[in-house]
Amino acid sequence: MQSIFAINGLETPEPVKAQVEGSIPSWLQGTLLRNGPGLFSVGSSEYNHWFDGMSLLHSFTFTNGEVTYRSKFLKSDTYKRNIKANRIVVSEFGTMIFPDPCKNIFSRAFTHLSNIIPDFTDNNLINIIRYGQDYYASSEVNYMNQIDPATLETVGRINYRNHIALNLATAHPHYDDEGNTYNMGTAIMGLGLPKYVIFKVPADASDKERRKPALRKVQQVCSIPFRSTRFPSYFHSFGMTDNYIVFVEQPFKLDIVKLATAYFRGVNWGSCLKFDEDDITLFHVVNRKTGRAVSTRFYGDALVVFHHINAYEADGHVVFDLIAYKNSNLYEMFYIENMRQETDDFVQTNKRFAPPVCQRFVLPLDVHKDAPRGSNLVTLANTTAQAVMQEDGSVYCQPETLFDGLELPGINYNFNAKKYRYFYGSRMEWSPHPNKLAKFDIVTRRHVEWQQENCFPSEPVFVASPGAVEEDDGVILSSVISPDPNISPFMLVLDAKTFEEVARASIPANVHMDLHGHFIPAAV
């Protein structure tokens, strides 16, 4: 797969018009922004890991049945420094960079000292976040880069720590019906007691001229102390219902001491994450209006989770669906040397990678301390998920398996935090290369797929039809690439109800595999 997955992408800075086959719905008006790694070598230096590649931004703009495409590298400080030096000079998660031995001893000593507490890269390659009316390329560090969604120009860097005391923050926020943004981060060093922090940025946080960052109006919703001060849980996303935040404190942990000494030990930051299969997973449920946590101690078996699907409340329970793994080997799958293997070879040599499993957990909110020990407290119909009362008053949660082998989940976001029926995603079967899209029906437990030989689709994005009442009334958008030179990259448009192709827009330019994105409807 080297031809499309681990080589450098190219910019298409001016819009190019795609060739449309089929018919794009006339109501589909807006821009799909996408983000992902696109530059894997600078000069003669190369990154070790796919998630280290420098951010390449993409936009697909839908106007009156036509599609235009453009792409630009995020002009982060990291990008500028690397390009100026013509080699990689900023460390990334899987690639630690050491000072040039030709530098004088004072310069080398300064570099070593500055790495005692890492100042993370601002190579924001994971997602696009909206705060107020500001749009940011984001990853999981304290830096973001504001972008102009119309031109993909990089406006400038912003530091969370200038507005709220955080070292890390997720690239997967939630947006409520009023347009407020909720997100979650980790406060580790030099900022009081270490804790997880949930925060909110109001929908109206941007000033009219948009000269001041929306983050200046950030509000802390609550904080959750670490279970272990030295080993905070890694998290990539979280769940949200109408009234609650759901945080999964998993035994996939960041070793703070290793993080602080990684540079001196000559290892990358990725090696500071450790999965403890003998530990438990804690489920925190926090009222997002009062900031108070539900007092019941909910826990489950060890798991690793990157992406939540959805969460909602039903008859006194919190229901949340996520993509779980039995170990943390997924990260290793994306080392460049693995990405460059042919899929068949990769499958044979990497059977130890645990496949993703869509699981449903159900937590009862009103737990009586005198409930019979050993009893299942879940009273919802149509689920086999259990929450069993333990002798010490804690509740042991066992999930229901919904579906195997799906990642990068998406839903009709109008149903976020609400009871829902459908989710969409990329099929992942023993390979880092998704080659199918799927729609799963939670009620019937059936799924349908889209695939085309030698084609690799990106994360599916649902866009609802105007005035839609039914949950799956809309389209699915996914950008598709292929190593076959006879197949141009294309934007795929599926009818979300039937999962049949209604249009594709072939793009006369280089398009690179991405990670996540954000659809911005055109102004009415």
Side-chain angles (χ1 to χ4, degrees):
M1 298 306 161
Q2 182 174 359
S3 59
I4 55 171
F5 286 104
I7 63 163
N8 291 340
L10 299 172
E11 287 186 312
T12 306
E14 296 302 320
V16 294
K17 187 176 176 180
Q19 181 179 344
V20 176
E21 297 174 46
S23 180
I24 292 174
S26 59
W27 57 260
L28 183 59
Q29 308 276 333
T31 297
L32 176 61
L33 299 179
R34 303 289 299 169
N35 195 357
L39 197 64
F40 300 95
S41 64
V42 183
S44 59
S45 58
E46 288 191 348
Y47 288 116
N48 298 327
H49 200 278
W50 196 67
F51 294 157
D52 294 344
M54 283 193 282
S55 165
L56 180 59
L57 304 169
H58 313 258
S59 70
F60 303 85
T61 299
F62 299 84
T63 310
N64 301 325
E66 295 184 342
V67 180
T68 54
Y69 170 80
R70 78 160 89 202
S71 64
K72 291 181 183 178
F73 286 111
L74 181 71
K75 304 306 190 295
S76 61
D77 283 11
T78 295
Y79 176 91
K80 292 173 185 174
R81 288 175 60 190
N82 288 342
I83 296 301
K84 182 178 180 181
N86 196 33
R87 65 185 180 90
I88 299 168
V89 295
V90 180
S91 295
E92 299 291 342
F93 200 59
T95 308
M96 189 65 82
I97 301 301
F98 299 95
D100 186 340
C102 298
K103 284 186 176 180
N104 65 51
I105 191 169
F106 297 107
S107 177
R108 292 207 306 274
F110 176 79
T111 304
H112 282 293
L113 285 170
S114 67
N115 277 278
I116 292 173
I117 294 179
D119 188 24
F120 292 115
T121 170
D122 68 338
N123 174 33
N124 305 124
L125 75 154
I126 295 179
N127 203 359
I128 307 292
I129 288 181
R130 178 184 61 75
Y131 287 124
Q133 297 304 311
D134 302 344
Y135 289 89
Y136 295 93
S138 62
S139 48
E140 298 186 322
V141 296
N142 57 295
Y143 293 118
M144 295 185 297
N145 273 282
Q146 187 176 354
I147 62 167
D148 181 327
T151 65
L152 298 185
E153 286 298 313
T154 304
V155 177
R157 186 167 81 169
I158 189 169
N159 189 342
Y160 273 111
R161 291 204 300 246
N162 291 339
H163 305 279
I164 185 170
L166 293 176
N167 297 95
L168 306 166
T170 90
H172 287 287
H174 284 281
Y175 309 97
D176 67 15
D177 292 339
E178 287 78 47
N180 304 307
T181 305
Y182 288 81
N183 207 349
M184 188 166 177
T186 306
I188 303 174
M189 295 178 255
L191 305 164
L193 290 173
K195 54 189 176 289
Y196 311 107
V197 176
I198 296 158
F199 60 94
K200 169 186 173 182
V201 178
D204 61 357
S206 298
D207 62 315
K208 288 183 179 178
E209 291 80 25
R210 297 192 193 172
R211 291 178 181 169
K212 297 175 183 175
L215 268 181
R216 78 191 194 285
K217 291 193 176 180
V218 64
Q219 304 162 9
Q220 180 170 314
V221 174
C222 73
S223 64
I224 301 168
F226 291 175
R227 177 167 36 144
S228 166
T229 304
R230 186 183 152 184
F231 299 101
S233 168
Y234 170 78
F235 57 98
H236 186 76
S237 62
F238 60 100
M240 188 172 84
T241 73
D242 280 339
N243 293 293
Y244 296 97
I245 298 289
V246 179
F247 167 51
V248 177
E249 192 173 15
Q250 61 186 335
F252 185 33
K253 307 170 188 176
L254 182 62
D255 186 323
I256 298 298
V257 173
K258 280 189 174 181
L259 182 75
T261 59
Y263 184 84
F264 303 106
R265 292 182 297 110
V267 299
N268 63 41
W269 290 319
S271 69
C272 304
L273 285 168
K274 184 77 174 174
F275 176 59
D276 185 354
E277 63 183 9
D278 298 319
D279 201 354
I280 60 169
T281 301
L282 283 179
F283 304 112
H284 299 275
V285 181
V286 180
N287 188 307
R288 66 180 170 103
K289 296 177 171 67
T290 67
R292 286 197 291 270
V294 173
S295 59
T296 305
R297 185 176 189 264
F298 298 107
Y299 73 96
D301 296 330
L303 60 78
V304 171
V305 55
F306 299 98
H307 296 117
H308 284 246
I309 303 171
N310 198 9
Y312 62 92
E313 297 156 47
D315 298 328
H317 301 74
V318 165
V319 179
F320 62 96
D321 301 337
L322 49 75
I323 313 286
Y325 294 84
K326 289 183 177 178
N327 59 41
S328 60
N329 292 338
L330 178 75
Y331 178 76
E332 294 175 36
M333 185 186 280
F334 287 90
Y335 274 99
I336 298 291
E337 61 185 10
N338 288 332
M339 298 285 287
R340 286 177 173 165
Q341 292 185 58
E342 287 299 323
T343 299
D344 289 345
D345 295 336
F346 184 91
V347 169
Q348 291 306 313
T349 57
N350 291 284
K351 286 286 190 181
R352 64 195 181 88
F353 290 118
V357 180
C358 304
Q359 293 184 335
R360 166 162 289 183
F361 287 88
V362 180
L363 311 185
L365 286 168
D366 189 16
V367 175
H368 295 287
K369 291 195 170 12
D370 57 355
R373 277 23 186 182
S375 62
N376 177 23
L377 304 179
V378 175
T379 57
L380 280 187
N382 304 316
T383 183
T384 59
Q386 295 193 0
V388 179
M389 189 65 159
Q390 303 298 295
E391 288 296 331
D392 62 359
S394 62
V395 176
Y396 170 55
C397 303
Q398 295 170 287
E400 171 185 13
T401 294
L402 300 177
F403 189 51
D404 288 333
L406 182 140
E407 249 294 3
L408 303 175
I411 62 170
N412 176 346
Y413 205 78
N414 293 326
F415 286 76
N416 188 57
K418 299 173 177 63
K419 188 173 183 179
Y420 75 119
R421 179 170 176 172
Y422 306 106
F423 60 83
Y424 311 86
S426 300
R427 294 288 267 135
M428 303 286 282
E429 300 166 316
W430 300 113
S431 166
H433 318 311
N435 61 351
K436 302 175 188 173
L437 296 175
K439 173 190 180 181
F440 183 75
D441 184 330
I442 296 169
V443 174
T444 66
R445 300 303 167 97
R446 293 182 179 150
H447 77 282
V448 290
E449 294 179 343
W450 175 92
Q451 72 176 122
Q452 180 177 326
E453 188 175 352
N454 229 3
C455 286
F456 300 95
S458 68
E459 168 194 62
V461 174
F462 181 95
V463 182
S465 303
V469 175
E470 293 182 295
E471 183 183 336
D472 59 351
D473 183 357
V475 294
I476 292 292
L477 306 178
S478 175
S479 95
V480 183
I481 60 174
S482 173
D484 185 340
N486 297 312
I487 302 175
S488 297
F490 60 94
M491 171 54 61
L492 175 68
V493 184
L494 300 177
D495 181 321
K497 194 176 288 290
T498 64
F499 226 56
E500 293 176 356
E501 181 176 329
V502 295
R504 67 173 59 188
S506 296
I507 297 157
N510 178 284
V511 179
H512 216 272
M513 178 61 80
D514 55 42
L515 283 170
H516 300 294
H518 188 100
F519 184 80
I520 305 173
V524 178

